[in-house]
Amino acid sequence: MKKTIVNLCRLLLGVVFILSGFVKAVDPLGTLYKMQDYLLAMHLGKWLPDMALLAFAVGLAALEFCLGIFLLFAIRRRATSRVIAVILSIMTPLTLWLALANPISDCGCFGDALVLTNWQTFWKNIILLAAAITVVKWPLEMFRFVSKSNQWIVINYSMLFILVISGWSLYDRPQFDFRPYQEGTDLRKGWTQMMEGNESPYADFFIEKADDGEDITEQVLNNEGYTFLLVAPWLEKADDSQLDLINQIYEYAKDNGYLFYGLTASGETGINRWRDITGAEYPFCLTDGTTLKTIIRSNPGLLLLKDGTVIRKWSHNRLPNEYDLTSPLDELEIGQAPDNTTTRHIVEVMLWFVLPLAILSVTDRLWMWTKWIRKQHNSNCIYKKETKMRKKIVAGNWKMNMNLQDGVALAKELNETLKAEKPNCGVVICTPFIHLASIAQFLDQNIIGLGAENCADKEKGAFTGEVSAEMVKSTGAQYVILGHSERREYYKETPEILKEKVLLAQKNDLKVIFCIGESLEEREAGKQNEVVKAELEGSVFNLSEEDFRKIVIAYEPIWAIGTGKTATAEQAEEIHAYIRSIIAEKYGQAVADDTTILYGGSCKASNAPELFAKPDIDGGLIGGASLKAADFKGIIDAFK
Ligand code: PGA
């Protein structure tokens, strides 16, 4: 249920962001005009240059589009959903202000493609914000269409695609035209309806001769045949690089008896300046500036009407030239109404963007599926002894031996030896408290971990002589031995006390090496299994699976510690296997398979290889033999 809701929210947000980014990228100038309206409404009109606003418009479109794609493809799920939530939590109050103050009638979220009222926009944002909060809360519930290793293709391709769309729209004109002057529009009909008093987008459409103010709208629209309209909202800012081509088109129109007018909102000075610069001879008419910006996103741009219907639009970068205008328009392709350009553009977008990504997703899923099948096949064929290599460790327990100088010297020697010859297992040394800070200064903890032999069962305070887990951690140590039989016996550490110690150690991010093991009498009475089980249950089986996974177990039969009497490899393996089985009972086989279980008790270089060769013995906790670098190294080498 949760998964379904999160994925529905993701779909909704993804689609909305993609659409919103796409329609903006298709018409960056439209976004620019909208932003100018906003700035004007906030009395900040003159603060930002048009170029900066245009760059922002392109960036905004790319950001929205890419965020939508990332969400849809579940790329960087956490970061993407957070960024979307932040954007929406800024936009929602802003749109509330728009709805209340109404400085602009339409927010421009979807360009001209979908015009919403300010209140509709606000409620739309409330819904999107709720969806964004949902995906932020459970980002990992979003399933992937493309695996992580192939996501870079989607990222780069989407960015490139949307920037190319913006760039092309600026160079040419919007590929998708959602405004009321798109190719194929019968202006004559629209204008007549408006004149009859019907609601119409052409209310501000008028054409007045610049010299005498005569309104010739009706005349232009009712002209049977072709009319060229050169649309330049502001002649002062119009691009004059194509002036020769424009003059040639005018000559061509004159020769063929077509009407040709320049339409602008600039006054007389602007028109005269343009005439001076370009040598324009065509007549100029005045039209509303906003209407001109709506007609074509190019300054100047060219419009071709046939019997009052818009049949072609060209930006100044793509004007028809002498090779296109070879004969009268009714004999040329450009003189005919084009086929449905919207459908063609939709097909182009599909072919260039949607199809490659769809192919990528399908290939990727197939690849993942075959990988999965291969894995299944392998795991069925191969005899599964261990599903995963758990960590092998040799840990030293110095106990109460060596003063600071000797301890530092031993640690230095070990450090140098193991740096020169990298061990094949994890190595840890657990030292008296007073050694820790000095050793931490030089020990290469990528090779040798450092730990304490104990820590207090209290967090802090008036406990004279005790050392807390936090203090141990602050020395630079990472490990702590807890539950050693010597602490249980001589210092009366009960399972309850040890439970507290384990919790405090983990709270301070120390890895616990937890010791268990039976006495000689218990072994002789055949109670070893019972004893180790009770010790685990008493102090560590209360942990969550996640915390238990951080524990290393050390099985140390008390009768073997410091006595020279080792448990045989078979004896040790038997009880190690039993310990693993009760871990499996409590936490499941996977956790049991991953838990490192060390053997301790008179372990030395001579018996280590046999012990460590057993499948359930993952290394050792070494007392006496850890006090000399050579002896300890001999045990570590058992893993070679
Ligand atoms: P030992 O001690 O190797 O000297 O027997 C092991 C231990 O107590 O951890």
Side-chain angles (χ1 to χ4, degrees), residues 395-397 399 481 484-486 515 554 556-557 560-565 599-604 621-626:
N397 174 12
K399 306 194 178 178
I481 297 176
H484 194 281
S485 57
E486 286 150 18
C515 305
E556 300 199 307
I561 296 178
T563 56
K565 245 201 218 168
Y599 169 79
S602 299
C603 182
K604 37 194 179 286
L621 180 57
I622 321 297
S626 70

Side-chain angles (χ1 to χ4, degrees), residues 78 81-86 131-139 142:
R78 268 179 277 225
S81 42
R82 276 187 208 146
V83 175
I84 287 185
V86 169
I133 292 169
T134 312
V135 290
V136 163
K137 204 155 172 7
W138 299 288
M142 291 185 263

Side-chain angles (χ1 to χ4, degrees), residues 118-132:
N118 287 339
W119 278 113
Q120 283 169 338
T121 306
F122 172 69
W123 291 115
K124 173 210 78 177
N125 278 357
I126 290 283
I127 295 170
L128 293 185
L129 188 61

